[in-house]
Amino acid sequence: MKKNLLLGAIFLLLFTAAGFSVYANIEDSSKSQLPANSAKNDGVIRVYGPGGPLGPMKEAAEKFTAETGIKVFVTAGPESNWINQAKQDADIVYGGSEYMLRSFMLSNPEMINEKSLTELYPRAAGILVRKGNPKNIQSLEDLTKSGVKIIDVNGAGQLGLWEDLAGRKGLIGGISQNIDISVKSSAEAIEIWKSNSKHDAWITYESWHHRLTDVTDLVELPEAEKLYRGTPIALTTSTDNKKEAQQFIDYLKTDASHQVFQKWGWK
C-alpha cells in the first residue's frame, strides 16, 4: 500500500513538473515571434529592438514578406529580454533613438556593422494624458501646476527628453517637482499608467498614443516647441543573411514604408 502511494506521488510530481514546463514554454514563446527551433541560416531575417517602434516595424515586415516571400521576425521590448538571443542570431538591430542604438553599440562592441548604420524616420515628443484630459493639460506650462503627477521614463530612448523640452522654456524645476515616479522603460510606464489612475501625464513620443488610444489622449506641442529623435537601424556583423537583411532595410526607406511609419506617429 505504501509502495503504491509512493509511486503515485512520484507520478503526480513528474506530471505536474511537465505541465509547468509546457506552460513555461508557452509563456516564453509569447514574448517573441521566433520559431522554437529556428536555425540561424534558415533564410529568416531576425530583427531586434525596443518596443516603441514595434508597430510600424512589424507592419512593414509583414508587407515586405508578402511582396518578397522573405520571412522577417521582429522581437521587441526591453533589451534585457532579448539580448542573449540576439547575440546568437540577430541580423538587424534598431533603436528607439540615435543615442539608444549608439549606447547599445558601446555595450556590445563589434556586434553592429557601423558602416551599415542608417536613419529611418524621426518622431516627435508630446504629452500623453488621461482620456478626456481631466486636468485640462494643454501645454508644458500646465505640467508645473500643483497637483499634476507625471510619469518619467529615464531611459528607453527618452533619457533627458522632458528636460530638453522644459529647459528651453525655463520649466525644468517646475516639471521636476511634479515627477511622481521615474522608471527605466516604456513597458514599466504603461503598466503603471494602466494600473494606477493617479498619474496625469507622461512626456513621451506621440507615437505611443497610437498604441494606447484606449487609455490616453495626446496633447501635441506647437511645432516650434517640438523635439524629434531618430529611429536608427543597422546590420549585425554576424548576420548570415546580409543581402536579404539589407534588402529589408532598403524596403524600410521606401515611400510605402514611410507611410506606415507616419500612420503610427512618425514624421
Side-chain angles (χ1 to χ4, degrees):
M1 181 67 177
K2 290 183 179 179
K3 182 178 181 181
N4 290 338
L5 287 174
L6 179 60
L7 289 173
I10 292 172
F11 176 79
L12 180 60
L13 180 62
L14 291 173
F15 179 81
T16 303
F20 280 138
S21 177
V22 170
Y23 285 110
N25 289 336
I26 292 173
E27 177 73 16
D28 288 342
S29 68
S30 70
K31 297 176 183 177
S32 169
Q33 300 180 48
L34 294 179
N37 297 312
S38 59
K40 187 177 178 183
N41 59 351
D42 59 3
V44 175
I45 301 170
R46 291 173 171 79
V47 183
Y48 292 85
L54 174 61
M57 196 68 68
K58 184 179 178 182
E59 183 174 338
E62 290 170 351
K63 291 179 180 293
F64 175 80
T65 298
E67 292 183 21
T68 66
I70 301 171
K71 293 182 179 180
V72 179
F73 290 108
V74 182
T75 299
E79 182 183 319
S80 58
N81 289 357
W82 50 258
I83 183 59
N84 289 337
Q85 186 64 36
K87 287 179 178 179
Q88 298 178 45
D89 63 13
D91 299 298
I92 294 172
V93 176
Y94 66 86
S97 69
E98 284 287 338
Y99 91 78
M100 192 177 189
L101 188 54
R102 296 281 179 178
S103 179
F104 179 89
M105 292 162 64
L106 290 172
S107 300
N108 302 278
E110 300 184 4
M111 183 173 174
I112 298 298
N113 179 344
E114 293 192 40
K115 291 183 178 180
S116 72
L117 184 65
T118 188
E119 167 64 23
L120 296 178
Y121 312 104
R123 53 179 172 160
I127 306 170
L128 299 192
V129 296
R130 294 286 170 187
K131 294 293 290 184
N133 197 1
K135 290 290 181 73
N136 193 30
I137 295 168
Q138 302 296 337
S139 65
L140 288 169
E141 285 84 354
D142 289 339
L143 296 179
T144 68
K145 292 180 178 178
S146 177
V148 174
K149 295 185 182 298
I150 302 169
I151 293 179
D152 164 45
V153 175
N154 195 30
Q158 296 160 60
L159 187 64
L161 188 63
W162 75 262
E163 187 174 5
D164 288 345
L165 286 164
R168 297 188 304 187
K169 305 193 75 176
L171 301 174
I172 292 176
I175 291 180
S176 177
Q177 68 182 4
N178 282 345
I179 292 177
D180 185 71
I181 187 170
S182 291
V183 295
K184 293 182 178 180
S185 71
S186 296
E188 293 175 84
I190 292 168
E191 183 178 350
I192 292 169
W193 185 269
K194 289 183 174 181
S195 64
N196 193 334
S197 61
K198 76 172 183 175
H199 297 102
D200 307 299
W202 171 15
I203 300 175
T204 184
Y205 297 113
E206 293 179 354
S207 60
W208 273 113
H209 171 62
H210 294 260
R211 300 267 296 274
L212 300 166
T213 54
D214 57 329
V215 291
T216 67
D217 281 343
L218 172 64
V219 177
E220 291 191 45
L221 300 175
E223 189 61 39
E225 296 181 13
K226 285 187 177 183
L227 282 178
Y228 291 87
R229 286 189 175 172
T231 311
I233 192 166
L235 300 173
T236 63
T237 55
S238 60
T239 176
D240 287 336
N241 304 296
K242 185 174 182 179
K243 180 181 176 181
E244 293 82 1
Q246 185 60 56
Q247 187 178 346
F248 177 57
I249 291 177
D250 292 341
Y251 179 81
L252 291 174
K253 301 186 75 173
T254 63
D255 288 341
S257 290
H258 191 187
Q259 289 175 18
V260 170
F261 274 80
Q262 287 176 318
K263 186 182 78 173
W264 287 88
W266 271 252
K267 186 174 180 180

